[in-house]
Amino acid sequence: MYGNDFAPPEEGPGGGLLGEVEAAEAALREAAARARRGGPAPDEDLEAYFADVIDADQKIEPRDWMPEAYRKTLIRQIAQHAHSEIIGMQPEGNWISRAPSLKRKAILLAKVQDEAGHGLYLYAAAETLGVSRDELVELLIEGRQKYSSIFNYPTLTWADVGAIGWLVDGAAIVNQVPLCRCSYGPYARAMIRVCKEESFHQRQGYEILHTLAHGTPEQKAMAQDAVDRWWYPSLAMFGPPDGDSTHSAQSMAWKIKRFSNDELRQRFVDMCVQQAEILGLTIPDPGLRWNEERQAYDYTQPDYDELTRVIKGDGPCNRQRMAHRRGAHEEGAWVREAAAAHAAKRAEKNKEKVAA
Amino acid sequence: MSKEQTPLWEVFVRARRGLSHTHVGSLHAPDAELALRNARDLYTRRQEGVSIWVVPASAITASSPDEKDAFFDPAADKVYRHPTFYEVPDGVAHL
């Protein structure tokens, strides 16, 4: 039911996206086992050595030499990924106090806690590239780094929590599973952890929608309305079409990215159609139909002008999300200072104890 | 300013009794106790472990990949360190 409708990975344990994650994990271990011994030879060209490691599908590790542009593009991508996890807590956090049952509330709390964890794994991965988390948080707060466009849409009903799980986390997984094979080791390892947990998010969202869609007519209508509003923003999560994607070609060559935006978007659409059928809900696209020749669904592209507007800061909730994040940072300053002062005092006391 | 406020800690978790602690990641915290509590929340949400170590990242000294060969090569010419180096005469049991 979860993505089994496209080819399983080569010799992957189990099918579907989770199977692919496990296969990537196995590949990571293998890559480590057959890693080229030692660093570059003293007379070896560093660029050639780097290209060699990438060609051999081995991992670049924090202390290895890497081109400056590779480092920069990874910092940008991992940081924006981390920011997305942190900002992404807001739309769902909006429904914690209003969840319809204690069970749903406990699940939603666990999920939002996971998102915080994902943010931290990713900040830690970014830090291995020589940038500090404080700098990255600063860049986010000043609006100089971005986060996923999707979190600038409002959660208007409880069903939106389900639609976010199914569509938004679903799109995130389709995007992130290939990143488990990314050439930068710390990022690949973080993605493996994240994808496993993200699968829980996707399934709990799907379950919410399934329950609503098989409930009262009002509940079903609410579920359909949520899917109607989240479908296109979710498709837009894969980024601009291949022709307009600025970083794609280089990222593919460096094996940071494994598939193009449009390839991943297609994969997501093909997965969702069958999942929507089982939900008994409709995907809001009159142009959606099976293409026998391509063995894939034809679908209507999202509005990329809208995507550009949202990325540039003009979506429905951009200001609210940033104001909230900035407010938490500023109002929390005294707590961080108190914790630091307390830690310093304790360290001082310990020193005295050791000296005595 | 806040760079010194929350230093980086490396986190090691032991999954079960009898296994060794394995490095699972890192996090920022003002002191060891908060590092431990955050590590509990961050790395053992799904029963990943029974014991956690946190170490300030600044306390760790790592070998460098540039000198990897020079550093580890001495092991290569000491094959006699492996039991398979030694020939056992035919017919010897339990050796």
Side-chain angles (χ1 to χ4, degrees):
Chain A
M1 172 156 41
Y2 297 95
N4 287 338
D5 46 355
F6 56 83
E10 331 81 289
E11 18 139 323
L17 293 169
L18 259 181
E20 278 188 58
V21 175
E22 273 171 48
E25 202 176 5
L28 191 74
R29 279 196 299 267
E30 274 166 39
R34 67 187 150 79
R36 188 177 145 162
R37 277 195 72 228
D43 54 343
E44 196 174 357
D45 178 10
L46 287 171
E47 302 248 4
Y49 173 72
F50 175 83
D52 216 32
V53 172
I54 300 265
D55 277 348
D57 258 335
Q58 291 180 358
K59 302 298 167 192
I60 302 293
E61 294 298 335
R63 299 191 61 185
D64 291 337
W65 182 87
M66 60 189 88
E68 208 36 46
Y70 177 85
R71 184 189 301 275
K72 278 215 176 106
T73 211
L74 271 172
I75 290 178
R76 179 185 52 81
Q77 182 173 341
I78 301 175
Q80 299 192 0
H81 198 157
H83 299 330
S84 302
E85 301 284 357
I86 298 302
I87 299 287
M89 294 160 76
Q90 290 184 42
E92 289 178 292
N94 184 30
W95 280 89
I96 289 176
S97 63
R98 295 179 284 170
S101 73
L102 273 177
K103 183 184 111 180
R104 299 284 180 202
K105 186 175 184 159
I107 292 173
L108 186 56
L109 276 168
K111 184 183 169 186
V112 173
Q113 189 191 22
D114 277 354
E115 306 292 5
H118 297 175
L120 295 184
Y121 306 152
L122 286 160
Y123 280 128
E127 286 194 292
T128 63
L129 291 158
V131 61
S132 83
R133 190 178 84 187
D134 291 322
E135 280 172 67
L136 297 176
V137 169
E138 207 72 14
L139 287 171
L140 170 67
I141 283 175
E142 289 168 8
R144 289 160 59 204
Q145 273 187 341
K146 304 201 186 310
Y147 54 87
S148 177
S149 57
I150 194 82
F151 301 117
N152 293 312
Y153 291 87
T155 38
L156 304 177
T157 69
W158 168 250
D160 286 26
V161 174
I164 288 184
W166 177 42
L167 294 173
V168 175
D169 293 309
I173 297 179
V174 169
N175 222 343
Q176 289 168 7
V177 163
L179 290 175
C180 295
R181 292 179 186 273
C182 149
S183 60
Y184 188 58
Y187 194 27
R189 288 189 288 272
M191 280 340 306
I192 286 170
R193 285 185 74 97
V194 168
C195 283
K196 286 183 182 172
E197 297 179 355
E198 210 76 70
S199 280
F200 141 56
H201 302 171
Q202 187 195 20
R203 289 179 189 204
Q204 67 88 27
Y206 192 84
E207 196 209 49
I208 289 176
L209 288 183
H210 193 264
T211 308
L212 289 173
H214 292 81
T216 65
E218 289 82 4
Q219 287 174 320
K220 181 164 184 180
M222 183 167 77
Q224 184 63 57
D225 167 64
V227 171
D228 290 350
R229 282 181 291 108
W230 287 93
W231 174 251
Y232 279 112
S234 301
L235 282 195
M237 280 174 73
F238 294 96
D242 292 350
D244 305 341
S245 183
T246 37
H247 303 289
S248 276
Q250 184 59 76
S251 289
M252 299 266 263
W254 277 330
K255 294 192 181 169
I256 296 173
K257 257 178 111 155
R258 296 304 184 107
F259 301 98
S260 77
N261 294 353
D262 286 335
E263 279 174 303
L264 292 172
R265 193 169 5 245
Q266 180 72 57
R267 184 187 258 214
F268 177 68
V269 172
D270 292 347
M271 265 173 54
C272 285
V273 173
Q274 190 251 357
Q275 293 173 355
E277 269 167 29
I278 291 171
L279 285 176
L281 297 175
T282 321
I283 287 174
D285 179 1
L288 189 74
R289 61 181 55 82
W290 178 249
N291 183 325
E292 192 59 43
E293 227 170 276
R294 292 198 305 123
Q295 286 294 303
Y297 283 91
D298 290 335
Y299 62 96
T300 312
Q301 293 289 322
D303 177 352
Y304 292 111
D305 292 336
E306 176 180 317
L307 176 65
T308 312
R309 273 199 309 279
V310 175
I311 290 177
K312 289 208 168 126
D314 209 13
C317 298
N318 297 57
R319 289 165 197 81
Q320 185 189 339
R321 302 287 184 240
M322 287 305 290
H324 188 85
R325 181 69 192 84
R326 211 173 285 130
H329 187 73
E330 282 161 11
E331 286 156 32
W334 70 271
V335 180
R336 293 194 296 277
E337 280 160 26
H342 180 68
K345 209 161 95 185
R346 291 245 306 232
E348 199 56 42
K349 258 194 198 148
N350 278 345
K351 235 187 258 166
E352 278 166 29
K353 240 188 260 166
V354 171
Chain B
M1 155 206 88
S2 46
K3 246 162 261 167
E4 289 83 44
Q5 277 187 348
T6 56
L8 191 66
W9 300 75
E10 299 297 336
V11 182
F12 300 79
V13 171
R14 194 180 68 205
R16 280 188 307 281
R17 274 211 175 280
L19 292 184
S20 55
H21 283 77
T22 306
H23 181 243
V24 291
S26 53
L27 53 81
H28 286 271
D31 61 27
E33 188 171 337
L34 276 174
L36 203 56
R37 283 168 187 271
N38 289 343
R40 193 265 320 263
D41 290 346
L42 185 55
Y43 292 110
T44 63
R45 286 198 299 282
R46 291 180 174 77
Q47 298 183 315
E48 285 93 340
V50 296
S51 166
I52 303 175
W53 289 345
V54 290
V55 184
S58 57
I60 292 176
T61 309
S63 64
S64 151
D66 306 336
E67 56 189 30
K68 201 152 126 197
D69 275 335
F71 209 65
F72 297 107
D73 264 354
D77 54 7
K78 296 187 177 63
V79 281
Y80 47 82
R81 280 179 167 155
H82 296 277
T84 43
F85 172 78
Y86 301 94
E87 261 177 53
V88 176
D90 287 343
V92 182
H94 309 300
L95 191 74

